[in-house]
Structures are given as C-alpha cells and as structure tokens.
Amino acid sequence: MKYDDASWHYGGDFPKGLPNENGATHIGMFLSWIIERDLVSDELREDAAAELARVKRRKMTGAQFLLAVCDEKLSSNDLSPEGNRFTKANFMKEYLEDYADLFEPKLSSLYELADTWKNYDRLRPILEERFAKWSKAPAAKAPKKAATKKTAKKTATKKTATKKTAKKTAKKTAKKASR
C-alpha cells in the first residue's frame, strides 16, 4: 500500500518557484520519526543500512531518504508491521492535521516549510505523544486527537484555513493512495 508520494504533491496544486523536493518534506518528517523509532521493514533495513544510519545520525533528512531510497513514496513495504499499523491509524488524518496545525500559521503554503532537523524537532513530540496514546489504545480504537499544549489552548476561533489545507492534502493523498 502506498500511503503518500511526493509526486502527488508537486504534480498537483503546488506553488510555483519551489523545488519538487518540497513535496516530500511532510512525508520525510514522518519517515524520520519512523526511522528513529526503528519501525522500518527488515527489507529496508537490509537494503539501505548506510542511509538509515545517516538519518539516525542526522546527516540525511527523512525527505532526502525518501527521495534517494524510497522512490519518493511512503509505502507499506518500507515499514514494520507495527509501523504500518501506526501509519494506517494516524498518517492520513491526524498526522497531516498536526503538521498543518504546527507549521501552517507561519507559511502561505505548507510546501514552503524548510526540510530541517529543527523543524522536525518541533514535530517529533507530537508524533511521540500520538504513538504513546495509540500504543495504549485497544487495537480497534486508535486515538482521534492527541492532547498537546497547543491543542489544549485552541479555541473555536481557530483559523479554518489550517483544517481546510490538511483535509485537502489528506483527501488528495487518500484519493491517490486508493488508485
């Protein structure tokens, strides 16, 4: 199963003037976390040991890994069984919403976000919290929304643009994943 593909983003409604690699940033940050948690498949561990080590040492970003090793795609073949279960439960909606909530208010497009470890470090605690809650939840019920300081402070006046962008990205990704 293909969860996401950078080409779905740069091949669609993508801001002019940005490199295609920017369509991989959001996928790459998720993949960095997957790699850091060692939720990759045995096959990927065997085929890309050197590159995985570079990501873990922060000499290569997850987006760079995605582009160089994974043919721009986040696929079930690259994840461990636990990594796949977590990704199925969280990537399409919760992760994309968390990513948009965290970064979009400062950008005119999420694709403008720099692929840096500093940005990843801002996102990582949210993924950790989601994973902890998901791990404790009954198998059939993954948590809907992680409680973070940012989430707790949100009010009804939250910008609707963030949710619209996340939903649009999730719909586009889901539509293409079902092909």
Side-chain angles (χ1 to χ4, degrees), residues 135-156:
S135 296
K136 292 176 187 172
K141 294 182 180 179
K144 294 284 183 192
K145 189 77 175 168
T148 64
K149 289 180 184 179
K150 185 166 186 162
T151 303
K153 292 180 182 178
K154 287 182 186 174
T155 66

Side-chain angles (χ1 to χ4, degrees), residues 7-55:
S7 70
W8 295 347
H9 302 279
Y10 66 73
D13 185 22
F14 194 73
K16 291 183 180 175
L18 291 178
N20 289 350
E21 292 82 15
N22 285 38
T25 303
H26 69 286
I27 308 167
M29 288 194 186
F30 186 84
L31 187 55
S32 290
W33 182 83
I34 290 285
I35 292 168
E36 185 178 86
R37 282 282 204 159
D38 204 27
L39 296 172
V40 298
S41 68
D42 291 338
E43 181 181 347
L44 186 62
R45 195 176 292 111
E46 186 177 308
D47 293 345
E51 293 88 347
L52 289 166
R54 289 187 69 213
V55 173

Side-chain angles (χ1 to χ4, degrees), residues 58-125:
R58 294 185 170 212
K59 301 295 182 188
M60 172 186 256
T61 67
Q64 292 167 336
F65 183 91
L66 183 82
L67 297 169
V69 177
C70 300
D71 195 30
E72 302 184 349
K73 299 162 187 63
L74 178 62
S75 160
S76 58
N77 294 337
D78 298 324
L79 307 178
S80 69
E82 184 178 30
N84 271 302
R85 287 190 303 274
F86 178 74
T87 301
K88 283 178 189 174
N90 286 276
F91 184 81
M92 298 299 280
K93 183 165 174 41
E94 283 85 359
Y95 170 72
L96 295 174
E97 284 182 4
D98 290 341
Y99 184 90
D101 287 347
L102 181 62
F103 297 119
E104 189 175 46
K106 297 177 180 149
L107 304 168
S108 59
S109 166
L110 285 173
Y111 297 118
E112 293 175 355
L113 185 69
D115 180 29
T116 65
W117 285 108
K118 183 178 178 180
N119 283 332
Y120 167 76
D121 287 337
R122 293 178 58 207
L123 181 63
R124 185 181 176 278

Side-chain angles (χ1 to χ4, degrees), residues 120-138:
Y120 167 76
D121 287 337
R122 293 178 58 207
L123 181 63
R124 185 181 176 278
I126 297 168
L127 283 164
E128 286 295 327
E129 186 169 348
R130 281 226 180 265
F131 186 76
K133 286 190 176 207
W134 174 82
S135 296
K136 292 176 187 172

Side-chain angles (χ1 to χ4, degrees), residues 1-4 8 92 172-179:
M1 173 182 187
K2 187 169 21 172
Y3 296 110
D4 206 347
W8 295 347
M92 298 299 280
K172 183 193 305 186
T173 302
K175 185 177 179 182
K176 291 187 179 184
S178 67
R179 291 183 185 169

